[in-house]
Amino acid sequence: MIKVIDVAFKEKGKPYMFSINDLELKKNITVIVKTERGLQFGKTVSDIYEVDEKKISSEIKPVMRIASKKDYDQNIKNIKEAKEAIVKCRELVEKEGLKMQIIDANYTFDKDQLVFRFLADNRVDFRNLAKELASIYKTRIELRQIGVRDKAKEVGGIGPCGRCFCCSKFLNDFDSVSINMAKNQNLALNPNKINGVCGRLLCCLKFEDEAYSEEKKNF
């Protein structure tokens, strides 16, 4: 067994598991962790718990340290500079005539990489854009295409049920949702009724499907 803790890098972001590295940790503290992309600033979203290493398929990276005041200030500076990079990137996108919408940008904590996320209807040849960005920011550049569900999670809003989007409120992962789930719940297959604001099938069809399936066993 190994002692681990969950860490998220954004508010309502997906939690990732890290080994505690013999540190005294608890929920709701900021930490510096080691990831495949480099060092990252995050916040613990669980208390310490144990998992069986044999049941984990991927390597568990460690928490490097509890964040200091200097680390906190560096993270704030990174966020500010990433927002400035978004503005510059959008200018370059317009200059290049690329059909893509820049959603956000994030530096790794050590600024070893700058990641831009964008929306696009089709594949985009952004090689020249990446080169220009790398020459400006002197770091590794990644341009990552995301879907409309990701955008809905970032922007937030009110769903057809009158409540805040599940994706922006508590869902951390986008599981696949099928039309069979709507059929299982005896819903009219009207896109206006079973699609969310993002245009995709409602996420709630997924997490309510199990309850409907269980209830049907009694009939």
Side-chain angles (χ1 to χ4, degrees):
M1 302 293 285
I2 181 174
K3 291 183 177 180
V4 298
I5 197 164
D6 292 336
V7 176
F9 304 120
K10 289 183 177 182
E11 191 71 26
K12 304 169 194 167
K14 179 180 178 180
Y16 296 90
M17 184 190 301
F18 292 88
S19 67
I20 67 168
N21 201 19
D22 295 326
L23 295 170
E24 294 185 8
L25 304 172
K26 60 182 179 179
K27 188 177 181 180
N28 291 328
I29 62 173
T30 51
V31 292
I32 303 298
V33 299
K34 184 178 181 181
T35 73
E36 292 181 354
R37 292 173 52 200
L39 295 180
Q40 291 277 58
F41 183 98
K43 185 177 183 179
T44 57
V45 293
S46 76
D47 288 313
I48 294 172
Y49 61 98
E50 293 186 340
V51 294
D52 188 345
E53 289 181 88
K54 296 178 182 178
K55 296 182 179 180
I56 300 172
S57 58
S58 58
E59 179 187 1
I60 301 179
K61 301 289 186 180
V63 176
M64 301 304 293
R65 62 181 181 271
I66 296 173
S68 64
K69 175 65 166 56
K70 183 179 178 181
D71 292 331
Y72 180 82
D73 290 342
Q74 180 61 48
N75 182 59
I76 295 298
K77 184 172 181 288
N78 289 350
I79 292 172
K80 179 177 180 293
E81 292 183 359
K83 288 181 179 178
E84 293 171 353
I86 294 173
V87 176
K88 183 61 179 178
C89 186
R90 286 171 177 166
E91 290 175 359
L92 294 174
V93 165
E94 186 174 355
K95 186 184 78 172
E96 295 278 340
L98 299 174
K99 294 182 178 180
M100 58 195 292
Q101 181 183 355
I102 304 299
I103 300 300
D104 62 18
N106 292 282
Y107 272 110
T108 53
F109 178 74
D110 51 12
K111 300 186 75 173
D112 189 48
Q113 187 177 34
L114 177 55
V115 180
F116 294 90
R117 299 194 308 161
F118 69 92
L119 281 172
D121 293 331
N122 301 297
R123 290 177 64 89
V124 180
D125 184 355
F126 50 68
R127 286 173 294 182
N128 287 336
L129 174 63
K131 288 177 182 177
E132 285 195 69
L133 291 169
S135 67
I136 294 170
Y137 297 105
K138 311 299 181 186
T139 189
R140 288 186 296 136
I141 300 294
E142 180 180 342
L143 288 148
R144 184 183 302 164
Q145 187 169 353
I146 64 171
V148 289
R149 295 173 83 190
D150 296 278
K151 182 181 180 182
K153 180 178 177 67
E154 295 289 336
V155 175
I158 304 298
C161 59
R163 300 174 67 91
C164 293
F165 292 166
C166 296
C167 57
S168 62
K169 198 71 175 175
F170 63 87
L171 287 182
N172 294 317
D173 290 309
F174 289 123
D175 293 324
S176 60
V177 184
S178 71
I179 196 69
N180 288 331
M181 294 176 183
K183 293 178 181 178
N184 186 44
Q185 296 172 39
N186 295 323
L187 296 174
L189 302 183
N190 181 340
N192 293 327
K193 300 292 185 181
I194 61 175
N195 286 354
V197 176
C198 64
R200 300 291 189 266
L201 288 169
L202 289 162
C203 292
C204 57
L205 294 176
K206 171 68 177 180
F207 59 79
E208 292 179 357
D209 189 62
E210 184 178 352
Y212 278 90
S213 297
E214 285 297 319
E215 285 297 321
K216 283 189 174 182
K217 291 179 182 178
N218 298 325
F219 293 96

